[in-house]
Amino acid sequence: MATVLLGAAVLTVDADNRFLPSADIRIAGRTIEAIGASGTLARPGDTVIDCSETLVTPGLINVHTHAATAFFRGLADDRPRAFWSAGYAVPGQERFTVADHVLSVRAACAEFLLNGVTCIADRLGDMDKIAPAIEQSGIRAIVGHTLSDARAPADWKTAEAVLERFGTDPARRVSAGIAPHALDSCSDALLREVARRAEKTGARVFIHVAQSEPEVAAVRKRGHAGALACLEATGLARPSTVAAHAIYLTAAEFAAWPRHGIPIAHCPASNLKIEARTLPLAELIGRVPIGLGTDWTVTNNSMDLLAEARLAALAGKMRADDPEALTVQQMVRMLTIDGARVLGIDRLTGSIEAGKRADLVVFDANRLEATPAHDMASNLVYSLSPRSVRDVMVDGELMVHGGKLTRDDETTLARSHRYVGRAPA
């Protein structure tokens, strides 16, 4: 017995970027078994979901999140750059407990799923306690416990526990990576140890790189020419290292970056909000894997990856001084298959093809923002919002159906999350 999505318009995001105006998608277990003409794939006993007035896309992939800090939303808007130089501290953060973080990650994962995000790369401290809640949400995730020199012995113990609990095989719905905090908060010795352990375990590495001028200055004070030289010297300049932000690289570093194939997690809203700066996306797209990230809510507020794609395209066009740069097709791929490439899971997900996991989003094409349907890929990037998300599948399991969560209740979560860290008024 299988599930068939019947008669959908399908953005496959395959190698040929095929758009199918009306097609069936047959799902067996957690895998896409077949894609065919509308009305041809259902068999007796199958579960059939009418998708005749919908757009189906691959699940959206968010390559840089700190989901358990969702309760920071609105705590630090409109601050100067210097405000963030003291370790990205947030006013009042000391009142939040680990239990608050766990509640917040439940709310965040639910919000991601409702927004059409089927996969996140998430990192924070206390990941041994946070990751089980991510797993319970049903979202696909790669999780990493934050490492820094300030707490290196304790951090390694916890990081190892997370690696042991979830493993590094991305075929699992939740797997683990290694997450050194940043180039300035991690010594060269720690970064070399990260590289060594990543090589040994097969883990992907997730690290903040060149996200601020003070970070780069600290790296240069240690004797490196810049952020890229630091990655090179410590063994982390490789395709299995995901560099978040990378907005303070020099022109020479941007030119040399593709030689190493280091993937980038591009977080335009966060970067613009706290640094008034963004990546020269048009210079790098297609040369290295680049995916989109929403970062954390204190520096972005939103968990809407569609809005992130729109902002990346428009700010990127402005930075390039070229309205033809960053095409709709390129942005659709950044939302999906390119994000999967960043995370090393593009053989599993990121496009709608037989044999891949059924990580899918069904958008309601009867929403006004989805009309007219001259170009549904264009609508996805430039007009659709989470209000059009009808159904979301991860590994073939419906996580959102009819706009509602299947494993949780949005209203209950919202009421709990509204007062996290303080008593109700």
Side-chain angles (χ1 to χ4, degrees):
M1 196 168 81
T3 298
V4 176
L5 305 186
L6 181 68
V10 180
L11 280 175
T12 65
V13 201
D14 62 9
D16 297 320
N17 290 308
R18 289 183 304 149
F19 172 69
L20 310 176
S22 184
D24 290 354
I25 302 171
R26 182 179 176 83
I27 299 156
R30 60 187 186 181
T31 304
I32 298 170
E33 185 178 83
I35 304 161
S38 178
T40 64
L41 296 186
R43 302 171 191 164
D46 287 344
T47 298
V48 177
I49 300 176
D50 182 11
C51 293
S52 57
E53 294 183 296
T54 71
L55 171 68
V56 177
T57 74
L60 310 182
I61 297 176
N62 192 335
V63 299
H64 186 68
T65 66
H66 305 276
T69 59
F71 48 60
F72 285 165
R73 179 179 275 150
L75 283 182
D77 296 333
D78 309 318
R79 303 301 180 103
R81 292 185 184 98
F83 172 82
W84 303 102
S85 60
Y88 293 87
V90 177
Q93 67 180 35
E94 65 281 348
R95 71 177 182 266
F96 296 108
T97 66
V98 173
D100 291 331
H101 281 83
V102 171
L103 171 61
S104 206
V105 85
R106 285 182 57 207
C109 288
E111 188 171 347
F112 283 135
L113 288 166
L114 288 165
N115 290 354
V117 173
T118 57
C119 179
I120 60 174
D122 196 71
R123 48 141 342 118
L124 206 66
D126 295 307
M127 190 53 75
D128 57 329
K129 300 176 181 67
I130 291 167
I134 295 175
E135 184 178 43
Q136 289 164 15
S137 77
I139 202 166
R140 187 178 303 286
I142 301 177
V143 297
H145 175 74
T146 293
L147 297 159
S148 69
D149 277 283
R151 297 182 300 159
D155 279 353
W156 272 124
K157 182 178 179 181
T158 307
E160 287 166 353
V162 173
L163 286 164
E164 183 176 350
R165 166 68 176 79
F166 294 99
T168 61
D169 182 358
R172 301 176 65 168
R173 198 182 296 196
V174 178
S175 61
I178 300 178
H181 176 255
L183 296 183
D184 58 341
S185 55
C186 295
S187 64
D188 287 1
L190 177 53
L191 295 174
R192 289 191 186 97
E193 181 64 10
V194 166
R196 187 188 71 79
R197 295 197 191 202
E199 187 73 29
K200 180 180 178 182
T201 61
R204 218 160 185 79
V205 174
F206 298 87
I207 183 169
H208 300 94
V209 173
Q211 63 180 332
S212 70
E213 285 185 316
E215 177 203 319
V216 174
V219 166
R220 288 177 176 152
K221 191 174 180 180
R222 296 209 308 254
H224 300 293
L228 179 56
C230 181
L231 291 172
E232 290 171 335
T234 56
L236 290 175
R238 55 193 184 189
S240 56
T241 295
V242 179
H245 308 304
I247 56 173
Y248 279 95
L249 298 176
T250 65
E253 285 175 308
F254 278 125
W257 193 270
R259 187 168 69 244
H260 300 282
I262 307 166
I264 293 175
H266 181 37
C267 306
S270 178
N271 297 155
L272 288 165
K273 184 183 178 188
I274 70 170
E275 293 290 334
R277 190 181 184 98
T278 188
L279 191 73
L281 183 58
E283 293 179 22
L284 291 169
I285 196 165
R287 302 176 67 201
V288 293
I290 304 177
L292 292 163
T294 55
D295 207 3
W296 57 331
T297 55
V298 72
T299 64
N300 182 347
N301 303 70
S302 175
M303 297 184 191
D304 181 352
L305 205 65
L306 292 175
E308 208 73 29
R310 190 171 307 138
L311 182 61
L314 297 175
K317 288 174 185 288
M318 182 180 69
R319 175 84 193 256
D321 191 25
D322 181 2
E324 292 183 292
L326 303 170
T327 65
V328 164
Q329 189 178 98
Q330 286 176 312
M331 301 316 297
V332 169
R333 295 185 75 84
M334 279 190 71
L335 281 164
T336 55
I337 192 65
D338 286 351
R341 287 179 63 211
V342 167
L343 302 185
I345 57 173
D346 48 308
R347 64 182 179 84
L348 294 172
T349 188
S351 61
I352 302 177
E353 301 179 75
K356 284 200 170 183
R357 299 294 178 83
D359 293 2
L360 305 168
V361 185
V362 180
F363 291 93
D364 184 352
N366 284 325
R367 293 285 188 178
L368 286 173
E369 65 189 23
T371 62
H374 300 308
D375 184 333
M376 296 183 94
S378 176
N379 287 355
L380 180 69
V381 173
Y382 285 119
S383 67
L384 289 186
S385 70
R387 73 188 292 270
S388 291
V389 173
R390 192 190 80 177
D391 305 321
V392 177
M393 277 187 167
V394 181
D395 269 348
E397 179 184 353
L398 275 168
M399 305 309 308
V400 175
H401 189 46
K404 296 186 180 298
L405 298 163
T406 61
R407 289 195 181 186
D408 233 319
D409 178 73
E410 182 179 8
T411 300
T412 301
L413 279 175
R415 285 172 175 160
S416 300
H417 202 236
R418 182 177 300 141
Y419 299 112
V420 68
R422 63 186 175 93

